[in-house]
């Protein structure tokens, strides 16, 4: 097995893709967000309960590859309990971590090992959209709301 | 066979030999096609048309010679039945817009099938929408074979047109085109056959099939990208209005009106892909030298071998029927998303396809969001399949 593929999947991605802590649905969501990648058919629905700018609850369900699943699970963990304003920083850190053209190394951007697990996506630019699928959808939905 | 294809003498960026299992998307190019195109640009390039100088006349002659070659490759009655396009998609859109669209009235219906590529689906869907017509999508039997009873019921209701693939690019299902065309003709429904997945794999005979239109892409039969063929019966092509207007297709132009050249040229407005057409000629000649019967036999043997190897793995689900199948196999590996699988195999130099394969209606029918797909060309061998199977086994372990 080569090291690149191990780095991509084995750090935390396979583990997080199987993590079901936040899978499910909310009936009293304030935001229901569809994340859909028309190129591959991956699709997640994110249910958020936001009160006074703070994300009180988040559940998601859907279908996707392990990278998109894991990144959605990590998104859920990263945003829960945070104010949307504070989350803005985490969001841009994540985007920088997966950005193969970023000047900063992933470790300079964050020390969160779960976010850093996606740094290997820099080596696999064709998989970047998997990593950012739910993150992009969330930002788009919250900005337009 | 790989010795004809220079790409196989190279290694992937990670240093492995290339195991290319995505010929349904596009085939690799033999040296003779590359050389023919290079030679044309190097030694006798000019555009076609009526340039009365060398090399323009040489280029025109070659271009028309390939038209003749395509006609004979398809067993068309005449060279006039062969129109060069930029590909399958372009050819289908031309027929949809210029032949079928003008005949539609609100309430009419056009029939296609559940196993079509988006290219043979969207053009029909859009013209139907514009004309307030119905697009009927003929269903499949459980094993992925076209349900001809349901199809006949639709044809009997008075369909205006039938668009059908010869071979599914996902399930590999090979339709009995001759029988289906004859069924449609019983109800006076003209038929377009999408031969994109057939052309490199078995002999096409438009007279025996009796189809009214047939389309394919050069890049799927060892030629270059950007060139394709629209075959149409003489009367239909003559009746059909040009989809594009411009240079090269006119008889006489004045400020009030213009007259157009006879078929096929009236359907070829603008400077064509001359190099692509000349390359296509080399590709078809190459295929014919190898012998389509031999290619068919080789690829069928590989397909059966691959189906057996895959079926022996409990973790693999194969889609579609085992019989009447072109060299295309869609499957899923238990617990491994097709995109993860293709990334994993790519690290071993194995190219497979993952996704919906531009056939979302079929994906909905299969009730899956995506599949992995392997497909073969004349250059594939059993060793490629053994490597694939080994790769699948390690992927299965890796993603546990
Ligand atoms: C069955 C079928 N039809 C049509 C097409 C479209 O061909 P092109 O993209 O060359 O126009 C394809 C290509 O994937 C195909 O497999």
């Amino acid at each position: 097995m080569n090291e690149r593929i191990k780095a991509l999947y084995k750090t935390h991605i396979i583990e997080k893709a199987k993590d079901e802590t936040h899978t499910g649905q909310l009936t009293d969501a304030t935001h229901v967000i569809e994340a859909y990648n028309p190129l591959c058919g991956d699709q997640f629905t994110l249910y958020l309960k936001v009160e006074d700018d703070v994300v009180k609850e988040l559940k998601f369900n859907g279908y996707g590859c392990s990278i998109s699943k894991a990144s959605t699970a990590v998104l859920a963990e990263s945003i829960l309990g945070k104010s949307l304003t504070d989350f803005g920083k985490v969001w841009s850190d994540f985007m920088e971590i997966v950005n193969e053209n970023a000047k900063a190394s992933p470790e300079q951007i964050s020390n969160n090992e779960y976010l850093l697990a996606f740094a290997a996506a820099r080596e696999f630019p064709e998989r970047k959209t998997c990593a950012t699928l739910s993150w992009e959808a969330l930002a788009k939905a919250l900005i337009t709301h | 066979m790989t010795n004809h294809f220079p790409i196989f003498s190279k290694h992937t960026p990670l240093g492995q030999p290339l195991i290319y299992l995505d010929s349904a998307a596009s085939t690799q190019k033999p040296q003779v096609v590359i050389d023919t195109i290079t030679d044309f640009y190097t030694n006798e390039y000019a555009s076609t048309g009526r340039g009365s100088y060398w090399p323009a006349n040489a280029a025109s002659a070659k271009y028309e010679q390939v038209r003749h070659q395509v006609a004979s490759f398809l067993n068309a009655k005449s060279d006039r039945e062969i129109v060069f396009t930029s590909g399958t998609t372009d050819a289908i859109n031309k027929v949809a817009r210029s032949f079928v669209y003008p005949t539609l009235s609100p309430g009419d219906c056009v029939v296609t099938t559940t196993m079509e590529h988006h290219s043979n689906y969207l053009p029909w869907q859009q013209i139907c929408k514009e004309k307030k017509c119905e697009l009927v999508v003929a269903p499949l039997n459980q094993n992925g074979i076209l349900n001809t009873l349901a199809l006949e019921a639709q044809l009997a209701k008075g369909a205006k047109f039938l668009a059908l693939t010869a071979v599914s690019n996902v399930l590999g299902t090979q339709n009995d085109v001759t029988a289906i065309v004859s069924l449609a003709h019983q109800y006076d429904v003209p038929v377009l056959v999408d031969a994109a997945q057939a052309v490199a794999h078995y002999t096409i005979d438009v007279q025996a099939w009796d189809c009214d239109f047939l389309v394919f892409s050069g890049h799927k039969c060892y030629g270059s990208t950007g060139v394709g063929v629209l075959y149409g019966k003489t009367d239909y092509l003559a009746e059909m209005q040009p989809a594009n207007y411009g240079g090269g297709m006119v008889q006489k132009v004045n400020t009030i009106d213009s007259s157009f050249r006879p078929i096929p040229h009236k359907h070829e407005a603008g400077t064509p892909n001359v190099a692509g057409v000349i390359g296509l000629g080399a590709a078809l000649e190459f295929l014919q030298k190898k012998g389509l019967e031999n290619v068919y036999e080789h690829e069928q043997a590989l397909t059966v071998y691959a189906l057996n190897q895959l079926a022996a793995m409990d973790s693999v689900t194969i889609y579609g029927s085992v019989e009447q199948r072109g060299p295309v196999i869609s499957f899923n590996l238990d617990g491994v998303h097709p995109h993860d699988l293709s990334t994993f195999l790519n690290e071993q130099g194995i190219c497979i396809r993952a996704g919906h394969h531009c056939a979302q209606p079929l994906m909905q029918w299969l009730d899956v969001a995506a599949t992995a797909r392997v497909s073969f060309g004349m250059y594939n061998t059993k060793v490629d399949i053994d490597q694939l199977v080994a790769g699948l086994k390690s992927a299965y372990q890796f993603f546990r």
Side-chain angles (χ1 to χ4, degrees):
Chain A
M1 201 58 52
N2 76 39
E3 292 305 317
R4 278 167 28 109
I5 200 95
K6 268 197 205 149
L8 175 63
Y9 284 110
K10 286 290 184 189
T11 327
H12 281 300
I13 288 183
I14 293 182
E15 165 204 337
K16 279 292 156 197
K18 292 183 174 161
D19 182 347
E20 303 208 326
T21 318
H22 304 289
T23 49
Q25 195 172 339
L26 293 180
T27 46
D28 56 348
T30 54
H31 299 77
V32 177
I33 300 170
E34 292 292 339
Y36 176 60
N37 184 345
L39 290 177
C40 62
D42 285 4
Q43 183 167 23
F44 295 96
T45 310
L46 279 57
Y47 303 87
L48 278 77
K49 195 164 152 192
V50 182
E51 282 171 6
D52 301 329
D53 197 47
V54 173
V55 180
K56 292 278 165 68
E57 285 182 71
L58 189 154
K59 293 276 182 204
F60 71 91
N61 55 33
Y63 169 88
C65 62
S66 48
I67 299 175
S68 64
K69 266 195 203 151
S71 79
T72 309
V74 169
L75 167 69
E77 271 165 19
S78 315
I79 200 172
L80 265 173
K82 281 213 175 58
S83 76
L84 291 176
T85 321
D86 290 345
F87 180 69
K89 166 85 174 89
V90 182
W91 191 90
S92 16
D93 286 350
F94 180 79
M95 289 299 168
E96 274 302 278
I97 287 172
V98 298
N99 177 5
E100 76 272 24
N101 299 318
K103 290 208 179 67
S105 75
E107 292 72 20
Q108 289 171 323
I109 298 167
S110 170
N111 57 11
N112 178 322
E113 60 178 299
Y114 286 99
L115 296 184
L116 286 174
F118 292 87
R122 287 185 179 189
E123 293 277 312
F124 296 84
E126 73 282 2
R127 300 306 298 277
K128 183 176 159 187
T129 50
C130 311
T132 59
L133 177 63
S134 293
W135 293 70
E136 296 271 14
L138 180 108
K140 206 168 153 207
L142 293 182
I143 287 164
T144 51
H145 267 74
Chain B
M1 191 62 74
T2 51
N3 59 345
H4 292 290
F5 295 82
I7 198 164
F8 293 113
S9 62
K10 312 277 186 295
H11 282 110
T12 69
L14 295 177
Q16 296 106 338
L18 176 68
I19 298 176
Y20 187 74
L21 299 175
D22 198 18
S23 293
S26 202
T27 56
Q28 293 298 340
K29 310 308 166 201
Q31 190 68 53
V32 55
V33 169
I34 300 167
D35 288 348
T36 302
I37 293 172
T38 308
D39 180 62
F40 172 62
Y41 278 129
T42 311
N43 296 317
E44 49 180 1
Y45 176 75
S47 184
T48 54
R50 275 151 291 171
S52 51
Y53 55 82
W54 182 91
N57 43 19
S60 300
K62 276 209 164 145
Y63 184 87
E64 291 306 322
Q65 199 180 314
V66 176
R67 195 189 305 280
H68 180 67
Q69 206 186 329
V70 173
S72 108
F73 185 82
L74 300 177
N75 192 30
K77 279 189 189 139
S78 137
D79 297 1
R80 299 163 64 216
E81 297 178 319
I82 305 301
V83 175
F84 290 117
T85 67
S86 72
T88 304
T89 305
D90 178 30
I92 297 173
N93 275 280
K94 280 192 159 85
V95 176
R97 278 287 149 199
S98 299
F99 184 77
V100 180
Y101 181 88
T103 67
L104 295 178
S105 312
D108 284 346
C109 94
V110 171
V111 183
T112 181
T113 83
T114 306
M115 68 171 93
E116 302 308 317
H117 187 278
H118 291 166
S119 287
N120 200 23
Y121 188 82
L122 295 175
W124 310 112
Q125 183 187 58
Q126 292 305 308
I127 63 168
C128 286
K129 218 171 112 184
E130 284 171 37
K131 285 281 183 115
K132 299 193 167 40
C133 294
E134 189 189 0
L135 177 67
V136 174
V137 183
L140 310 184
N141 293 329
Q142 214 144 31
N143 52 9
I145 288 175
L146 189 63
N147 180 332
T148 39
L149 282 178
L151 174 67
E152 179 164 11
Q154 285 305 331
L155 297 171
K157 278 195 213 158
K160 280 283 156 96
F161 200 79
L162 169 64
L164 162 88
T165 193
V167 177
S168 157
N169 69 314
V170 177
L171 300 175
T173 312
Q174 197 174 317
N175 286 312
D176 185 348
V177 172
T178 312
I180 296 167
V181 170
S182 136
L183 186 67
H185 286 174
Q186 280 174 34
Y187 299 97
D188 294 326
V189 180
V191 184
L192 173 140
V193 175
D194 173 355
Q197 294 298 340
V199 60
H201 307 293
Y202 59 95
T203 306
I204 295 173
D205 184 334
V206 290
Q207 290 190 60
W209 293 9
D210 198 26
C211 49
D212 304 285
F213 295 96
L214 180 136
V215 299
F216 70 87
S217 298
H219 71 97
K220 291 190 200 269
C221 58
Y222 306 102
S224 76
T225 54
V227 65
V229 166
L230 162 62
Y231 157 85
K233 284 182 179 165
T234 305
D235 291 351
Y236 286 150
L237 282 185
E239 178 187 323
M240 180 168 136
Q241 287 301 305
N244 300 318
Y245 295 88
M249 45 104 56
V250 288
Q251 202 93 273
K252 194 162 189 199
V253 178
N254 62 46
T255 49
I256 309 294
D257 205 357
S258 304
S259 57
F260 305 112
R261 290 174 71 188
I263 60 163
H265 297 99
K266 81 166 186 186
H267 296 299
E268 291 178 1
T271 303
N273 182 353
V274 188
V277 166
I278 289 173
L280 177 65
L284 297 182
E285 188 181 335
F286 174 75
L287 251 176
Q288 281 175 317
K289 276 198 184 138
K290 295 294 155 205
L292 269 162
E293 308 72 34
N294 302 328
V295 169
Y296 182 74
E297 208 171 297
H298 171 72
E299 292 175 350
Q300 282 293 308
L302 270 186
T303 306
V304 169
Y305 181 73
L307 282 169
N308 288 338
Q309 297 294 306
L310 292 174
M313 293 178 66
D314 288 340
S315 51
V316 170
T317 307
I318 300 170
Y319 301 101
S321 143
V322 174
E323 271 111 58
Q324 283 297 306
R325 179 197 271 272
V328 181
I329 304 173
S330 280
F331 63 95
N332 265 313
L333 183 63
D334 207 13
V336 186
H337 186 284
H339 277 116
D340 293 328
L341 181 61
S342 74
T343 295
F344 183 89
L345 292 175
N346 176 51
E347 296 295 297
Q348 307 176 17
I350 304 175
C351 314
I352 70 159
R353 197 55 158 218
H356 52 58
H357 317 295
C358 297
Q360 287 184 10
L362 183 59
M363 292 290 132
Q364 287 151 19
W365 179 81
L366 288 170
D367 198 19
V368 293
T371 73
R373 181 186 75 182
V374 294
S375 54
F376 312 127
M378 62 163 83
Y379 33 64
N380 290 114
T381 64
K382 285 187 179 174
V383 176
D384 297 342
I385 292 161
D386 293 341
Q387 299 272 11
L388 168 73
V389 169
L392 293 178
K393 286 181 178 157
S394 51
Y396 185 68
Q397 290 308 325
F398 183 84
F399 286 101
R400 298 237 81 178

